[in-house]
Amino acid sequence: MKYKSRASLVCAVVFALALQGCVTSTQQKITQISRADGPPRVLLMPVDVTLGHLTAAGLFEPQAEWTAAGEKYVHEAVRKFLQTRDVVLVNYKPPQLADTKHTHEQIVKLHRVVGTSIRVFQFPTPFQLPTKKTGFDWSLGPEAARLGKEFDADYALFIFVKDSYATAGRAAAIVFAAILGVGVQGGTQVGHSSLVDLRNGDIAWFNVLGRGSGDLRKEKPATETVKLLMDNFPK
């Protein structure tokens, strides 16, 4: 348990360092997407969104009602964004087979994990790996490539966002710490979006978002967040 707690603390520190001064930043292999026989087909995967309280102690407590609202607004905003591009939007439909559905859910979770690794080790921070200073080479693996055949799609778009809101106790802690000259983080909005090439599972475009503002509980600010998440999306 102590090891897990320490690992979580390290991740939190890494995130804080990686996001300093960051709103959005993009890494990509391509600037255009295409299909030989017409507009490229982009599969919109289920959005991976979690909203919650940030307690006085700095713990994140998920809130189901907020999360449901955030999922709805983010999904709709992304769908509308893709409709403005020269692509065919393929809406994801959960498969009937339990095993296949489980595989799809694991791919979404894998995107969260791989995206976190990209945030930490790809971008120019003290934690950037030497091998990642030139080029961009990340993948979700061959399992993700299966989606191309199942949905007749060329690319899959994955979205991850975690949005936290300071409780009254956390706000008081921030004020008290400021009086002592110590900085304490309030609520944050962090996330990433990925366009995955479904021929091989490789991530062709990746955009990271990190800021101390934003609100996914309401439609208008959620749409503004999606606009940032889709910054520099390939044409």
Side-chain angles (χ1 to χ4, degrees), residues 92-102 104:
Y92 175 84
K93 294 182 180 180
Q96 297 296 319
L97 294 176
D99 287 348
T100 305
K101 182 178 180 181
H102 175 73
H104 291 186

Side-chain angles (χ1 to χ4, degrees), residues 31-230:
T31 57
Q32 292 183 322
I33 55 177
S34 61
R35 180 184 175 103
D37 58 352
R41 294 172 59 85
V42 178
L43 172 65
L44 176 55
M45 295 298 291
V47 297
D48 184 5
V49 174
T50 308
L51 280 66
H53 284 133
L54 188 64
T55 68
L59 300 176
F60 180 77
E61 294 182 345
Q63 299 294 310
E65 186 175 348
W66 292 355
T67 295
E71 287 177 346
K72 174 185 175 182
Y73 294 138
V74 169
H75 181 273
E76 183 63 16
V78 174
R79 188 184 66 81
K80 288 181 178 179
F81 172 86
L82 289 176
Q83 289 178 336
T84 68
R85 317 296 286 196
D86 187 22
V87 303
V88 175
L89 170 61
V90 180
N91 289 304
Y92 175 84
K93 294 182 180 180
Q96 297 296 319
L97 294 176
D99 287 348
T100 305
K101 182 178 180 181
H102 175 73
T103 298
H104 291 186
E105 291 171 346
Q106 292 305 304
I107 292 173
V108 171
K109 292 179 180 179
L110 177 62
H111 168 256
R112 182 195 304 182
V113 174
V114 173
T116 298
S117 296
I118 295 174
R119 298 165 68 92
V120 175
F121 300 118
Q122 175 70 50
F123 292 90
T125 72
F127 303 94
Q128 185 182 39
L129 295 176
T131 56
K132 299 301 182 182
K133 291 184 178 180
T134 57
F136 180 74
D137 185 20
W138 296 83
S139 179
L140 297 188
E143 285 295 312
R146 289 175 47 184
L147 295 170
K149 295 180 180 180
E150 294 176 18
F151 290 92
D152 185 23
D154 304 296
Y155 301 89
L157 179 61
F158 292 79
I159 302 289
F160 165 76
V161 191
K162 184 175 181 180
D163 210 355
S164 60
Y165 309 89
T167 61
R170 184 66 173 178
I174 293 171
V175 172
F176 181 72
I179 294 173
L180 299 177
V182 178
V184 173
Q185 179 66 56
T188 58
Q189 186 177 83
V190 297
H192 49 261
S193 48
S194 304
L195 188 67
V196 176
D197 189 331
L198 294 182
R199 293 173 300 178
N200 48 30
D202 291 351
I203 298 177
W205 167 88
F206 182 89
N207 194 43
V208 62
L209 165 68
R211 58 179 180 165
S213 59
D215 190 345
L216 297 184
R217 298 171 295 184
K218 300 177 182 179
E219 182 176 6
K220 187 174 180 179
T223 300
E224 189 261 343
T225 292
V226 167
K227 183 179 179 181
L228 292 173
L229 281 168
M230 304 306 294

